[in-house]
Amino acid sequence: MPLGRAWSVALVGLDGRLVEVEADLGGGLPGIKMIGLPDAGLREAKDRVRSAIRNSGQHWPEDKLTLGLFPANLPKLGSAYDLAIAVAILASAGKVPATRLLGTVLLGELALDGRVREVRGVLPGLLAARKEGIKRAIVPSGTLFEAALVDGLEVYGAARLRDVVAWLEGENALARPEPPTETEPPKGLDLADVVGQPEARWALEVAAAGAHHLLLTGPPGVGKTMLAKRLPGLLPMLSPEESLEVTAVHSINGKLTPKAPLIKVPPFVAPHYSVSEAALIGGGAGIATPGLISRAHRGVLFLDEAAEFGSQRLDSLRTVLEEGEVSIARARGSVCYPARFQLVMATNPCPCAPPRETDCTCSPTERRRYLSRLSGPLLDRVDLRVRLRPMTAMGRQESGEPEPTEVVRKRVLAARDRAAARWSEHGWKTNAEVPGPALHREFALPPTTTALLNRSLERGAVTARGVDRCLRIAWTLADLDDADEPQADHVAAALEFRDRRAA
């Protein structure tokens, strides 16, 4: 009998590889053999597929069956190959014509009764298939809303295996995606709810304008969490390319919903301090899955009670903050996930954390030990550090009502537009993305402007990395002031944000 062929997609991180599924009947005693580095879940596919074919009104071949998944040296994980395997077997047995299979990718897990179940990673899988020249795809009906996000691909949804068989025979039409409906983004929390804390509000605005990392320190109840939760409302909406990046990560995690399949709002992820390192960074057996930092890609990662996370989990973020991605190596291969997020940390100044600092019972050694959980190398990568005071110490807003989010957001967007226009020739969008060499060469500031920064570096008050970050903050302050380039006052203010001892 001729070989039956179908095509599916293997995901290695966010990268997809086209997989050719071959079915060969005959040549020995009845039995099934699968080759091509299948994992345990995929090896069970032969039992799922056998029952699904029989319960779909088709005859299971009694000859020896060899299933090959190629490329043979690429690990195959999960159950998304079930539908392609079933169709390849039926094509090999001559039960369905193979004319429509050419140039068609099939994704879906099969239930024993022939239903096509949903699988994760449909969006990145179809993006990879389109890149390989595939023109058509069949996916589970429940993921049709996700598959429709891929332009230039003819997408069909199948609820049962028998529907796919009938479509291959030209007897029926599979479901097509409905036109996407534009939905209003959810309304975020309003910055006007935060009373007082003018310095922290200003730091939040600067962080939003330049995509800078932020540390908020203060006793309980002063508004650290309230401020952090209002940062996404100040950020611009994601561009179409960024939306696809973020949505692809959430697709692998199975977090997409039909109501809002394309993520347009910067995500906000706030893990509990008991989270494991693998859940935070990414990991798992076989091919590593994305962690919470990847779910926060192009958004905000908020670590409340940051000192309680432990130094190992916090220090694992150091390389990620520099690179904007995380590389995870496992026995079956190494994967790379995007993780370019804004880090916001909030912490108490000491373990007892009384509402008033005068009531603190901690010794100086205990306070140092507590705050030392935030290591020096990690803090060196945090651009803005703000100390919040209790309302009884600061007083209420000096005059008028607090500014709402919309007013502050207009200033943030204007500053971001100025930064994007300045860096457009180099491909950078925010001040936080500009590398240090460019700040010192092409966009070097006059010595009179950076004199205070140079003296602070000589005294050891800031590191070389801290100098670069101060310059990025200074450019953001200049953008907020609608200035062509930072002045000495901007550099001094940036240095004050970095380390109050430096000035």
Side-chain angles (χ1 to χ4, degrees):
M1 293 184 180
L3 288 175
R5 288 187 175 89
W7 283 264
S8 190
V9 178
L11 284 178
V12 182
L14 287 182
D15 299 324
R17 293 278 302 277
L18 204 61
V19 173
E20 182 179 2
V21 180
E22 293 184 338
D24 180 33
L25 283 174
L29 297 175
I32 308 176
K33 184 176 182 180
M34 183 179 294
I35 57 177
L37 292 184
D39 71 339
L42 182 52
R43 282 194 294 269
E44 295 175 350
K46 53 189 178 183
D47 299 315
R48 294 193 299 269
V49 171
R50 181 194 289 114
S51 296
I53 288 178
R54 287 176 173 174
N55 291 322
S56 298
Q58 300 293 325
H59 176 72
W60 178 260
E62 300 297 335
D63 299 323
K64 179 183 178 180
L65 174 61
T66 303
L67 297 172
L69 287 78
F70 304 96
N73 62 346
L74 178 69
K76 319 297 189 308
L77 310 177
S79 56
Y81 308 93
D82 288 5
L83 184 58
I85 290 173
V87 170
I89 293 172
L90 293 175
S92 177
K95 302 298 182 181
V96 296
T99 51
R100 281 191 168 185
L101 288 177
L102 187 63
T104 301
V105 154
L106 300 103
L107 297 173
E109 175 186 308
L110 289 177
L112 300 184
D113 60 357
R115 286 177 293 119
V116 182
R117 298 178 184 267
E118 300 176 13
V119 293
R120 296 183 178 184
V122 169
L123 175 59
L126 294 188
L127 288 173
R130 184 185 64 179
K131 188 176 180 180
E132 294 290 336
I134 296 295
K135 301 297 183 183
R136 196 164 44 231
I138 299 177
V139 300
S141 296
T143 61
L144 197 55
F145 71 93
E146 181 181 345
L149 299 176
V150 184
D151 296 328
L153 204 62
E154 191 178 345
V155 178
Y156 298 92
R160 307 186 68 87
L161 176 59
R162 67 178 62 195
D163 297 334
V164 179
V165 172
W167 179 80
L168 291 172
E169 294 174 344
E171 297 179 0
N172 76 336
L174 293 176
R176 296 299 306 274
E178 298 180 358
T181 57
E182 291 293 331
T183 58
E184 288 292 328
K187 189 175 182 180
L189 301 174
D190 201 328
L191 196 58
D193 299 334
V194 182
V195 179
Q197 307 297 354
E199 185 180 7
R201 290 170 61 97
W202 172 238
L204 195 73
E205 182 176 343
V206 175
H212 302 293
H213 307 308
L214 175 64
L215 171 63
L216 302 171
T217 305
V222 294
K224 302 188 297 293
T225 303
M226 288 185 67
L227 284 164
K229 288 183 176 180
R230 283 151 180 79
L231 177 56
L234 300 178
L235 302 178
M237 300 288 284
L238 300 178
S239 67
E241 295 79 10
E242 292 171 343
S243 293
L244 276 180
E245 286 180 9
V246 176
T247 306
V249 175
H250 287 246
S251 172
I252 293 179
N253 280 304
K255 300 296 182 181
L256 298 183
T257 60
K259 292 183 179 179
L262 186 63
I263 299 175
K264 300 179 180 179
V265 179
F268 181 83
V269 179
H272 190 262
Y273 58 76
S274 63
V275 66
S276 67
E277 187 175 354
L280 181 65
I281 302 299
I287 299 296
T289 56
L292 293 174
I293 62 172
S294 294
R295 286 180 55 189
H297 179 57
R298 300 295 181 185
V300 177
L301 177 68
F302 176 48
L303 303 184
D304 200 5
E305 305 294 345
E308 303 294 341
F309 276 79
S311 57
Q312 183 173 352
R313 278 167 288 181
L314 292 175
D315 287 340
S316 65
L317 300 175
R318 285 155 50 179
T319 303
V320 179
L321 293 176
E322 294 288 337
E323 303 295 336
E325 61 184 18
V326 57
S327 181
I328 310 171
R330 289 294 182 269
R332 291 208 168 196
S334 178
V335 295
C336 186
Y337 291 110
R340 188 171 295 281
F341 54 85
Q342 275 188 259
L343 176 64
V344 179
M345 296 189 294
T347 183
N348 296 320
C350 65
C352 72
R356 296 186 305 174
E357 293 186 24
T358 56
D359 297 332
C360 178
T361 60
C362 300
S363 66
T365 302
E366 288 175 324
R367 295 170 67 92
R368 285 195 301 270
R369 186 183 299 117
Y370 183 76
L371 292 178
S372 67
R373 298 177 186 178
L374 306 178
S375 67
L378 175 65
L379 291 179
D380 202 32
R381 291 167 168 82
V382 177
D383 306 312
L384 309 169
R385 308 172 196 172
V386 182
R387 185 69 177 266
L388 283 73
R389 305 292 180 182
M391 286 296 298
T392 54
M394 289 189 60
R396 297 184 64 84
Q397 193 80 3
E398 288 79 1
S399 61
E401 293 293 325
E403 285 187 315
T405 293
E406 283 305 316
V407 173
V408 180
R409 188 171 187 266
K410 289 180 181 178
R411 294 198 297 265
V412 169
L413 296 183
R416 285 221 175 195
D417 289 342
R418 280 190 284 272
R422 180 172 58 249
W423 312 122
S424 60
E425 295 182 3
H426 305 272
W428 310 314
K429 295 183 179 180
T430 62
N431 293 324
E433 298 178 35
V434 183
L439 295 172
H440 294 286
R441 296 173 186 170
E442 299 175 59
F443 299 92
L445 299 178
T448 55
T449 302
T450 60
L452 178 61
L453 191 59
N454 293 331
R455 289 199 301 269
S456 300
L457 181 61
E458 292 174 0
R459 297 201 311 264
V462 293
T463 64
R465 180 190 291 116
V467 169
D468 293 345
R469 293 189 176 274
C470 280
L471 292 174
R472 295 182 185 118
I473 298 170
W475 277 104
T476 300
L477 294 172
D479 290 334
L480 287 169
D481 284 347
D482 198 11
D484 293 334
E485 67 176 22
Q487 304 300 316
D489 290 343
H490 297 135
V491 174
L495 193 57
E496 179 76 6
F497 271 129
R498 284 285 299 171
D499 192 340
R500 301 186 183 282
R501 297 169 301 171

